[in-house]
Amino acid sequence: MAESTPARRLRMGMVGGGEGAFIGEVHRKAAALDGQIEFVAGALAGSPEKARRSGRALGLPDDRSYPDWQAMLSGELARPENERIDFVSIVTPNHLHFEVAKAFVQAGIHVVCEKPMVHTAAQAAELARLVQEKGVVFAVTYNYSAYPLIRQARQMVLGGELGEIRRVSAEYHQGWLATAQDESNKQADWRTDPARSGMGGAIGDIGSHAEQLISCVTGLKLESLSADLSTFVPGRRLDDDASVLLRFVGGARGVLTCSQIEIGRENDLRLSVFGTKGSLSWQQENPNVLVVDLLDRPRQIYTRGGPSLGEEATAATRLPAGHPEAFIEAFANVYLGAAAHIRAKMNGQSESPLPYPTVQDGLQGVQFIEKVIESSRSSERWTAVNETAPEHSV
Amino acid sequence: MAESTPARRLRMGMVGGGEGAFIGEVHRKAAALDGQIEFVAGALAGSPEKARRSGRALGLPDDRSYPDWQAMLSGELARPENERIDFVSIVTPNHLHFEVAKAFVQAGIHVVCEKPMVHTAAQAAELARLVQEKGVVFAVTYNYSAYPLIRQARQMVLGGELGEIRRVSAEYHQGWLATAQDESNKQADWRTDPARSGMGGAIGDIGSHAEQLISCVTGLKLESLSADLSTFVPGRRLDDDASVLLRFVGGARGVLTCSQIEIGRENDLRLSVFGTKGSLSWQQENPNVLVVDLLDRPRQIYTRGGPSLGEEATAATRLPAGHPEAFIEAFANVYLGAAAHIRAKMNGQSESPLPYPTVQDGLQGVQFIEKVIESSRSSERWTAVNETAPEHSV
Amino acid sequence: MAESTPARRLRMGMVGGGEGAFIGEVHRKAAALDGQIEFVAGALAGSPEKARRSGRALGLPDDRSYPDWQAMLSGELARPENERIDFVSIVTPNHLHFEVAKAFVQAGIHVVCEKPMVHTAAQAAELARLVQEKGVVFAVTYNYSAYPLIRQARQMVLGGELGEIRRVSAEYHQGWLATAQDESNKQADWRTDPARSGMGGAIGDIGSHAEQLISCVTGLKLESLSADLSTFVPGRRLDDDASVLLRFVGGARGVLTCSQIEIGRENDLRLSVFGTKGSLSWQQENPNVLVVDLLDRPRQIYTRGGPSLGEEATAATRLPAGHPEAFIEAFANVYLGAAAHIRAKMNGQSESPLPYPTVQDGLQGVQFIEKVIESSRSSERWTAVNETAPEHSV
Amino acid sequence: MAESTPARRLRMGMVGGGEGAFIGEVHRKAAALDGQIEFVAGALAGSPEKARRSGRALGLPDDRSYPDWQAMLSGELARPENERIDFVSIVTPNHLHFEVAKAFVQAGIHVVCEKPMVHTAAQAAELARLVQEKGVVFAVTYNYSAYPLIRQARQMVLGGELGEIRRVSAEYHQGWLATAQDESNKQADWRTDPARSGMGGAIGDIGSHAEQLISCVTGLKLESLSADLSTFVPGRRLDDDASVLLRFVGGARGVLTCSQIEIGRENDLRLSVFGTKGSLSWQQENPNVLVVDLLDRPRQIYTRGGPSLGEEATAATRLPAGHPEAFIEAFANVYLGAAAHIRAKMNGQSESPLPYPTVQDGLQGVQFIEKVIESSRSSERWTAVNETAPEHSV
């Protein structure tokens, strides 16, 4: 079961996520699910009026529905410690992440931040240093890596059950940007605007999830990559399709593809890992199943909650087998991980009792996006990737 | 999107669901998910000590963690109205449902109750009359009928898209009771004890879900049935396997099977409906997909959040297509429906703005279980079923 | 690999299967596939002209393209033994099977016969006695039982790998007779005509396949059954839908359903077998996969040609794993079995080196159809089935 | 239905395919299936003794079971024309294809040849010229492109139903060479030997199928490619894994991957094509299904034999929907196409009534393999591909 005994509910503030936002609502549901976190304050939108309106719609008291994040930061710091928010969730468009995150971290407030974490590797490195210095918890919502069976996959791969890893494939198929609907759609609008989304289009929005999934399941470090970015929809300013050949330190190879113009594909993220002793495959749209193939044995289908699962998967599971868990539950696992670490720090412990993706995952993701774009503009065959060695967790 | 603007969160009390319980935890998560309901009081276990311990673990203040349901009822009624619970969730073993539900309904408190609602059709009818008399909201957590694509199926069938219905198949496959593990497992223990679970074993625990799914999707009324109940595990006191032939008013036919001894099956509930113009099929373990076959056309795969969905499915959906929703989200739809009706009543409206399974579904379910057991003991070919015509909603 | 070294190709004659026939062409392809059988003579249609025309189209010499089966029988017997047909395939509409089969068996000619073998159990018993008396090979093309993974299932069940069998489910879903298209369709025409098809509609045409699949995989003997036959399409003279509760000698239970009015279902035959130690499931439309669930172990997917298969499956396999085999190949396995037995008899051996469905399977099938129809007209709860104990093979 | 009326059976000779061979047996079954081709002569193995023994096992008369292909060529040419083979099937290891094919083409004998057709693009071009000059039929057994639903895909794409093609993905996953079993396995042995198999390992053996599938379904011409070949199994002399980025004339992009070290994957060839109006996806291991997604419409599942299929698929189909066809049937479609063209030529017509993969497909395949290997050794980002424009058919 995914819960520990709560001393009290943690208090969450939120920046972004007001009217019309998609991901903010997901964060609120994920935080609420397990009854450990209370949503108490917000600076929910870019204008004071909209922020106030959004706060009322969500039941925030007016005095904690702030007109902007600066007001929230100072307002909360002015409160007595036993009322103040314990952490802030940052769910604004990407270009605001850095500034907001930096300010809250500097104030010693824990952070849960959407991905991609920031726009540039330099910003990411600065933030990582600051997080280290301040000793705060900083989770980045690479939610897909928090699915129970991805944690099972990770435990099996790192435990050597597949042998030495030879080949990795991560695919992320979407079709919702197949036509030039960008202006009529709030989500599409900012996600395809370089100023707000960052330099990567599909590669930043979804490719970075695929990269993080490879990294967290296999622990492999990228040595070099060769990327082909495309923009198929006329007038679009960012890539909407990417194919990347990967070479890892130690000789493993891989392919990462992501596309947002594949009509009919919804949110079809897939991971396959092939080793010298076996392989595994997983699909996000059918997340309660993990396909495991060991040499010369019939295929095995592991199910969430079913037989033969390890501790990591079990710790991330709420329901018995056959009672499916899905996207929000995985997302909530990131919150449970961050919350557990925050509680641990409150109790004077430095280690997190549960895994979650950290600022190091965020940093690595931003580096990856930069290198993919660099490669796509280069005449060189391979673009070297000198990953800092993050001690990330799932 | 599934939410309306909340004036305030509804206050929920809970009877049952303490340490070691499965379904109470599901109810709490489902109630919490959408940020509209607050869990404020409980009588969580059969002994005062365990009730207190369970309350603390869940963050209830001691003064609202009651030693038993009677204390909770009187304690809450003694509170000022603006603090008192708005509704109670009843998640005890089945044999306690009737007494508890009756008391809260009589006190005018809205109820969310686990299924099967009560032990006998006489109790069910009494409760239905009382609910009618008191004008309270009474939801029964037939959670499977609240999946978005079941609501889509219902809208399509009732809207005539499949033509006249000829044949229905509902199957519910489980394997967790394939061996005599009953004593070592709290869930198995009471579910296989006639005194606590009721006269039906598998047919009551899971067969009643299958019956309600048929009823809510097709609106068909049972005319007669012919049932074969089996108990395969030596020493078990209730059926663990059932096969039922169904005849509906108007000439449609059907088969309902349920079993808890099918090794390898987890929670594999399936529904197929065949009409003169088309058919549809759905599986609970892959709930974001609805298979639709129209005469002489290629199969169509409807997806939750995808193209061509009707209002009912859309109203029950939280996330875009490809971001799977699952068991807890469907369960939460029952709570959203009950909450919406409670709010409507607070505002002086009698109609529920959202569908949810009611005391009438609960009554029909208990009648079904009784008739199945009657048939299984009868030498008659067919046992007539005189269903009261419930005006149930999904 | 499925072949033994042929001394020479066997010579096949065919009754029925001319212009516009479906199943005759399947028989010819199945017989030709493995290079062991030569199609040398035929009485291919009901009229001499059509028979001649059909023979020419198929490359038969005119002197062996006979106007009717009587002419073929006498004509072939008049030939020298080293030219004469070794066996005859009977692929006429059902009502002709008995007369033709009887005549060829009496003449000592081996037979491959379509199912259902004959119209009545009395005919079937007479034929079975005659086959025994004459010592001929008599195969009935229950082709589905010749799929490699059905043979694997049989070997596993009979070998006790699933423990004692508790529950069996066989479903056969079709939709091609959902509308009253009978007259415009040669196949539909005779299959829905009692005079030519027999007393059973769907139950005879496809239900008998389901029955044989249960019998051959589990070896269970029916003790009694309770059947509900329906005719949904107005004007149709035979059932187009059937649901049958099954009780087996020894206590196992089962459900057999078949329908030809399920729009969207093509040829969806499924078998599931549940025992005290495990279960298995198979679907004809995806025949290269067998799902195996053992207690407390992850699901295993056996594949034709893949790891862990037994001798029977291996002997029925032509291609490596992943190179799918399908309907015709399974059908050809019936021919390979009959051919192997014919060769064995030529060499003075009585045992067949390969399994195939025999006259005993045919007899049991006809008995089953009769009992289902009897039950559907009876007011008795259960209709006893006194199966003769066939020593059938797959 | 796939057949036309045969005047007489065509006479087939075979080079290679004796004892222990895999693909020769497949060719013989494919040729036999439809009753239009007779196997009458062979030079079945590398040594005269083995050739003779293989011929006897297959029922060839000794005088047409030749010790080598040269003897077969001269022996058959010495026969009267009405006995002589009509065509030869070449199923030797790859390195012998060129010499044998060239000799039979020069003698005016039609050819069916395994792929990859020859070792070098220069040989391929020479052979293509010779075929053109001699006017013979020359089929290359790119069997996967002859599946009915691949022909459906081709007709839909070329007919514009998906709009302009943007992205193509072809994957070919196998695992049978994941370990160094090469010496103990006849198939593995020659396929991993550069002298016998050619310069490409996985890319030649299976990657070339993937390339041909893209080409035949989309008609797109490669402009350039960027390939990463790997050899994972120590001691192996050829690649066993390849990833190739593709750029097509006109701006479409693609990824082709193939691997033979993916444990658990059997023969998992997949094709996806994405256009401006829709997409389609197909998997070889489940070949009777084609997934079609059109913009803003629910997914459609086309099935072989089912509704909405075009002429090409229908012409390649033998059985009704739900009666699966598979590998051998698709293979037989190549033979039916070649046979139809041979008959047409006998009747003085130059056009083939049915599609099949020709010497131009073979040439393009060899060019592709060469360019992939060139790219994998190059420091250039992209390797240009100047495809000759083949007028290939499916």
Side-chain angles (χ1 to χ4, degrees), chain C residues 46-68:
Chain C
S47 77
E49 301 72 31
K50 195 172 158 194
R52 171 68 61 97
R53 210 164 52 228
S54 298
R56 284 187 178 166
L58 294 168
L60 283 187
D62 282 356
D63 67 334
R64 296 184 88 174
S65 181
Y66 299 94
D68 54 43

Side-chain angles (χ1 to χ4, degrees), chain C residues 33-259:
Chain C
L33 180 67
D34 295 300
Q36 299 199 17
I37 293 166
E38 201 171 0
F39 169 42
V40 299
L44 299 170
S47 77
E49 301 72 31
K50 195 172 158 194
R52 171 68 61 97
R53 210 164 52 228
S54 298
R56 284 187 178 166
L58 294 168
L60 283 187
D62 282 356
D63 67 334
R64 296 184 88 174
S65 181
Y66 299 94
D68 54 43
W69 66 263
Q70 293 89 342
M72 179 161 119
L73 179 54
S74 56
E76 290 295 315
L77 289 173
R79 286 188 169 264
E81 208 172 330
N82 68 351
E83 288 183 12
R84 190 185 298 164
I85 58 171
D86 294 304
F87 71 96
V88 65
S89 282
I90 303 173
V91 296
T92 62
N94 302 341
H95 67 297
L96 300 173
H97 291 179
F98 179 59
E99 181 181 27
V100 182
K102 194 174 159 186
F104 279 83
V105 170
Q106 279 177 320
I109 294 177
H110 305 294
V111 173
V112 174
C113 184
E114 255 303 314
K115 44 59 47 197
M117 186 169 76
V118 291
H119 272 197
T120 70
Q123 292 170 340
E126 184 181 340
L127 202 50
R129 278 193 305 274
L130 205 57
V131 166
Q132 171 77 15
E133 182 187 316
K134 293 291 179 180
V136 297
V137 167
F138 195 103
V140 181
T141 47
Y142 284 111
N143 49 295
Y144 298 113
S145 65
Y147 270 110
L149 290 179
I150 285 295
R151 293 195 172 164
Q152 175 66 20
R154 169 183 162 85
Q155 189 167 354
M156 292 174 78
V157 173
L158 299 187
E161 295 188 42
L162 307 190
E164 191 183 346
I165 301 309
R166 288 168 163 173
R167 179 178 183 86
V168 181
S169 165
E171 308 165 48
Y172 204 142
H173 307 279
Q174 291 185 339
W176 69 295
L177 293 176
T179 55
Q181 59 186 180
D182 304 18
E183 293 172 42
S184 65
N185 180 318
K186 178 174 171 173
Q187 294 308 318
D189 187 31
W190 75 257
R191 283 170 201 259
T192 58
D193 174 4
R196 287 176 289 169
S197 185
M199 297 310 296
I203 194 68
D205 191 19
I206 60 175
S208 57
H209 275 299
E211 175 272 330
Q212 194 263 349
L213 216 50
I214 291 175
S215 173
C216 104
V217 168
T218 68
L220 290 172
K221 297 298 163 200
L222 271 174
E223 184 176 274
S224 57
L225 54 79
S226 184
D228 195 18
L229 297 194
S230 307
T231 303
F232 284 114
V233 174
R236 186 164 289 158
R237 292 162 293 171
L238 290 169
D239 66 280
D240 50 23
D241 181 283
S243 301
V244 191
L245 303 181
L246 307 173
R247 288 184 164 183
F248 298 95
V249 175
R253 305 282 172 97
V255 179
L256 183 154
T257 60
C258 63
S259 184

Side-chain angles (χ1 to χ4, degrees), chain B residues 67-80:
Chain B
D68 53 42
W69 66 263
Q70 292 91 342
M72 179 162 119
L73 179 55
S74 56
E76 290 294 315
L77 290 172
R79 286 187 170 266

Side-chain angles (χ1 to χ4, degrees), chain A residues 8-330:
Chain A
R8 63 165 174 85
R9 296 187 174 184
L10 295 183
R11 292 180 295 269
M12 173 176 82
M14 180 169 273
V15 180
E19 287 174 4
F22 158 54
I23 205 66
E25 181 61 23
V26 171
H27 279 252
R28 286 190 296 269
K29 289 183 195 301
L33 180 67
D34 295 300
Q36 299 199 16
I37 292 167
E38 203 172 358
F39 169 43
V40 299
L44 299 169
S47 78
E49 301 71 32
K50 194 171 158 196
R52 170 70 61 98
R53 209 163 55 228
S54 299
R56 284 186 178 166
L58 294 168
L60 283 188
D62 283 356
D63 67 332
R64 295 183 90 175
S65 181
Y66 299 94
D68 54 43
W69 66 264
Q70 293 90 342
M72 179 162 120
L73 179 54
S74 56
E76 289 295 315
L77 289 173
R79 286 187 170 266
E81 210 172 328
N82 69 349
E83 287 184 13
R84 191 185 297 164
I85 58 172
D86 294 305
F87 71 96
V88 66
S89 282
I90 303 173
V91 296
T92 61
N94 302 341
H95 67 296
L96 301 173
H97 290 179
F98 179 59
E99 183 182 25
V100 181
K102 194 174 157 186
F104 280 82
V105 170
Q106 278 178 322
I109 294 176
H110 306 294
V111 173
V112 174
C113 184
E114 256 302 315
K115 48 57 47 197
M117 187 169 75
V118 290
H119 271 197
T120 71
Q123 292 170 338
E126 183 181 342
L127 202 50
R129 276 193 307 273
L130 204 58
V131 166
Q132 171 77 14
E133 182 187 316
K134 294 290 180 179
V136 296
V137 167
F138 195 104
V140 181
T141 48
Y142 284 110
N143 51 295
Y144 299 113
S145 65
Y147 270 109
L149 289 179
I150 285 294
R151 292 195 172 164
Q152 175 67 20
R154 169 184 162 84
Q155 189 167 353
M156 292 175 77
V157 173
L158 299 187
E161 294 188 44
L162 306 190
E164 189 183 348
I165 301 310
R166 288 169 164 171
R167 179 178 181 86
V168 181
S169 164
E171 307 165 49
Y172 205 142
H173 306 279
Q174 292 186 338
W176 69 296
L177 294 176
T179 54
Q181 59 187 180
D182 306 16
E183 293 172 41
S184 65
N185 180 318
K186 178 174 171 174
Q187 294 309 318
D189 187 30
W190 74 257
R191 283 170 202 260
T192 57
D193 174 3
R196 285 176 291 167
S197 185
M199 297 309 298
I203 194 70
D205 191 19
I206 61 175
S208 57
H209 276 298
E211 174 273 330
Q212 195 264 350
L213 217 51
I214 292 175
S215 173
C216 104
V217 168
T218 68
L220 290 173
K221 297 297 162 201
L222 272 175
E223 184 176 273
S224 57
L225 55 78
S226 183
D228 196 19
L229 298 193
S230 307
T231 303
F232 284 114
V233 173
R236 185 163 289 156
R237 290 161 295 170
L238 290 170
D239 65 280
D240 50 24
D241 181 283
S243 301
V244 191
L245 303 180
L246 308 172
R247 289 183 163 183
F248 297 95
V249 176
R253 305 283 171 98
V255 178
L256 184 156
T257 59
C258 63
S259 183
Q260 297 182 309
I261 57 88
E262 294 181 341
I263 291 171
R265 302 297 179 94
E266 296 181 338
N267 195 39
D268 186 1
L269 170 61
R270 302 174 182 217
L271 179 73
S272 293
V273 180
F274 301 95
T276 51
K277 295 182 184 172
S279 71
L280 55 79
S281 296
W282 180 85
Q283 298 185 23
Q284 192 272 150
E285 294 186 354
N286 196 15
N288 294 287
V289 165
L290 179 70
V291 176
V292 177
D293 285 302
L294 299 182
L295 198 61
D296 298 329
R297 293 198 29 201
R299 174 164 288 180
Q300 292 179 86
I301 308 294
Y302 284 53
T303 56
R304 189 200 45 76
S308 298
L309 298 187
E311 284 175 25
E312 290 207 18
T314 302
T317 291
R318 291 166 182 80
L319 299 176
H323 300 68
E325 297 188 34
F327 185 89
I328 292 175
E329 290 84 342

Side-chain angles (χ1 to χ4, degrees), chain D residues 54 77 83 118 154 186-187 216 221 232 323 357 387:
Chain D
S54 298
L77 289 173
E83 287 183 13
V118 290
R154 169 184 162 85
K186 177 173 172 175
Q187 294 308 318
C216 104
K221 297 299 162 199
F232 285 114
H323 300 68
E387 291 187 349

Side-chain angles (χ1 to χ4, degrees), chain B residues 360-371:
Chain B
Q360 293 295 339
D361 295 79
L363 165 58
Q364 184 169 304
V366 175
Q367 290 172 332
F368 172 75
I369 297 167
E370 280 194 353
K371 288 298 177 182

Side-chain angles (χ1 to χ4, degrees), chain C residues 198-201 203 225 227 229 239 368-378:
Chain C
M199 297 310 296
I203 194 68
L225 54 79
L229 297 194
D239 66 280
F368 172 75
I369 296 167
E370 279 195 354
K371 288 297 177 182
V372 165
I373 293 167
E374 180 184 329
S375 169
S376 76
R377 294 169 177 170
S378 165

